[in-house]
């Protein structure tokens, strides 16, 4: 198998030198322009079927990548022939996990993949576990690792090396030395607890593939001089000033949490993208002029709780909505429940939903929904790919989406009201 991987990697390098660049056709995804820091890696991995978009022309570069998703990417990139020969499994990630575990790529020293259970593999992957998995692949294929003296020198270059848990030190040193992973700031901190996103996953896979090709030809891998897998930091205002301006974007093009009304509780870890250059009164790029979200606040933990049940019962996990309009409307819809606790909405519906009232936490609300057959059926629906959730007062809501945000984005500029067109 080692020879097959090395041969494939070498063939790739030769082909890249002879072929007309596939990237000339222009960006595949609307949220990954040619200027995006991970553009080349995303286009390459997408063109070969290692990764896919979310639909509606979007890739979601800033969306967290889970252990399950990264395992599938890794298996598709290096063991695609074997993956294609495996019988279909109701759990979309299980073949990849089984294949990688069987080859020794995954092992029980990594907390996020211990026992490869559905709950752990659906959680966002951190840099420690990504290093461990990549290290496992190189070891499983018999790739020669750096010498002890090289690794000792490398450890000195990692500013926070002394804080790395013992089970990860070998993986981090080797991946850092080979240039597969790098520090995330100018000081050279590794910050292994940081989660990884889809853009970063594509970049490190490209590095891993190049490392294998280089080692197979006897060349020394070119080590990055800067943390390319980490998105450039967001520019912030001068420390001596306070900005109250709504509407800011991250380098990725996602709407920045700092530019959204503070009471909403938006986080950059769950990026959303606007369909308009006009900023709404809440700070979203939707063109909405007067959307009242009141006390509504986003509830990201709902995604974790719902996915725990979905994966356990054989359904693909959901992702948080990547649309500004979907997120803003979820907040609006939740606040509407405070005065009218009903699924009926005279202004028009845009998503599936479950609602609740009186629970003390989002965990309690999800638990009650899961114990109600009708609500659970909505949350387990296989045609659903995304969700969003919010709380306003004692009211809770989860909106479910199939990936088509065209309607909610079209009517965002009318404050999500298309009642004039409803019979």
């Amino acid at each position: 198998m080692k020879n097959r991987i090395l041969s494939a990697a070498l063939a790739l390098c030769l082909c890249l030198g002879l072929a007309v660049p596939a990237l000339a056709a222009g960006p595949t995804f609307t949220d990954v322009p040619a200027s995006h820091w991970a553009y080349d890696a995303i286009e390459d991995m997408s063109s070969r079927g290692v990764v896919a978009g979310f639909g509606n022309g979007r890739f979601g570069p800033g969306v967290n990548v889970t252990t399950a998703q990264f395992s599938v990417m890794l298996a598709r990139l290096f063991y695609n022939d074997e993956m294609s020969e495996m019988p279909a499994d109701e759990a979309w990630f299980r073949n990849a996990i089984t294949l990688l575990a069987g080859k020794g790529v995954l092992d029980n020293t990594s907390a996020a993949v211990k026992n490869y259970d559905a709950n752990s593999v659906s959680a966002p992957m951190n840099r420690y576990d990504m290093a461990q998995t990549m290290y496992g692949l190189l070891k499983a294929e018999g790739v020669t690792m750096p010498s002890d003296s090289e690794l000792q020198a490398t450890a000195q270059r990692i500013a926070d090396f002394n804080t790395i848990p013992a089970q990860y030190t070998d993986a981090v040193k080797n991946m850092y030395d080979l240039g597969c992973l790098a520090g995330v700031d100018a000081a050279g901190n590794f910050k292994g607890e940081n989660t990884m996103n889809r853009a970063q996953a594509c970049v490190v896979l490209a590095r891993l593939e190049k490392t294998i090709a280089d080692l197979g030809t006897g060349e020394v891998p070119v080590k990055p001089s800067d943390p390319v897998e980490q998105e450039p930091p967001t520019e912030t205002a001068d420390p001596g000033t306070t900005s109250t301006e709504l509407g800011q974007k991250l380098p990725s093009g996602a709407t920045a949490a700092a530019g959204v009304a503070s009471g909403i509780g938006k986080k950059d870890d769950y990026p959303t993208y606007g369909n308009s250059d006009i900023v709404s009164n809440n700070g979203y790029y939707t063109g909405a002029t007067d959307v009242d979200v009141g006390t509504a606040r986003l509830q990201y933990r709902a995604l974790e709780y719902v996915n725990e049940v979905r994966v356990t019962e054989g359904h693909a996990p959901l992702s948080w909505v990547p649309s500004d309009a979907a997120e803003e409307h979820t907040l609006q819809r939740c606040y509407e429940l405070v005065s009218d606790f009903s699924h009926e909405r005279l202004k028009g519906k845009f998503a599936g939903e479950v609602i609740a009232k009186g629970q003390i936490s989002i965990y309690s609300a999800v638990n009650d929904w899961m114990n109600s057959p009708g609500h659970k059926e909505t949350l387990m629906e296989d045609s659903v790919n995304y969700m969003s959730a919010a709380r306003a007062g004692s009211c809770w809501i989860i909106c479910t989406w199939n990936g088509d945000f065209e309607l909610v984005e079209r009517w965002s500029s009318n404050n999500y009201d298309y009642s004039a067109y409803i019979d």
Side-chain angles (χ1 to χ4, degrees), residues 111-179:
V113 297
K114 189 174 183 180
N115 301 322
Y116 322 115
D117 66 279
N119 293 337
S120 63
V121 299
S122 64
M125 194 178 206
N126 64 32
R127 287 166 53 80
Y128 285 143
D129 290 326
M130 187 165 283
Q132 187 81 355
T133 303
M134 296 166 71
Y135 182 46
L137 177 77
L138 295 183
K139 287 196 303 178
E141 295 306 321
V143 174
T144 302
M145 295 291 115
S147 67
D148 288 343
S149 59
E150 289 174 319
L151 293 179
Q152 288 177 5
T154 295
Q156 297 298 314
R157 294 192 291 114
I158 303 174
D160 56 352
F161 184 78
N162 290 334
T163 69
I164 298 175
Q167 68 265 34
Y168 295 113
T169 54
D170 284 346
V172 172
K173 284 189 296 185
N174 279 278
M175 293 305 95
Y176 202 101
D177 186 271
L178 292 173

Side-chain angles (χ1 to χ4, degrees), residues 9-10 24 60 87 97 146 156 165 203 255 278 280 292 302 350 356 376 394 412:
L10 290 171
I97 296 289
Q156 297 298 314
V203 169
T255 296
I278 301 174
S280 77
D292 189 359
F350 298 94
K376 183 176 180 180
S394 62
S412 58

Side-chain angles (χ1 to χ4, degrees), residues 296 330-338 390-392 395-397:
T330 300
L331 292 159
Q332 176 193 43
R333 183 74 190 99
C334 191
Y335 190 53
E336 290 173 348
L337 296 178
V338 175
R391 174 187 186 174
C395 295
W396 307 85
I397 190 171

Side-chain angles (χ1 to χ4, degrees), residues 49 58 83 94 123 133 143 171 223 232 292 346 395 405:
R58 289 177 175 161
M83 277 281 285
R94 188 173 291 143
T133 303
V143 174
K223 302 171 185 178
D292 189 359
L346 298 179
C395 295
F405 302 104

Side-chain angles (χ1 to χ4, degrees), residues 188-223:
N189 289 297
F190 184 73
K191 294 188 177 180
E193 295 294 342
N194 284 15
T195 55
M196 299 291 287
N197 61 40
R198 284 163 55 81
Q200 293 165 341
C202 288
V203 169
V204 297
L205 284 175
R207 286 184 186 170
L208 184 63
E209 187 174 51
K210 184 179 186 304
T211 296
I212 290 175
D214 289 346
L215 290 174
T217 59
E219 297 179 9
V220 178
V222 178
K223 302 171 185 178

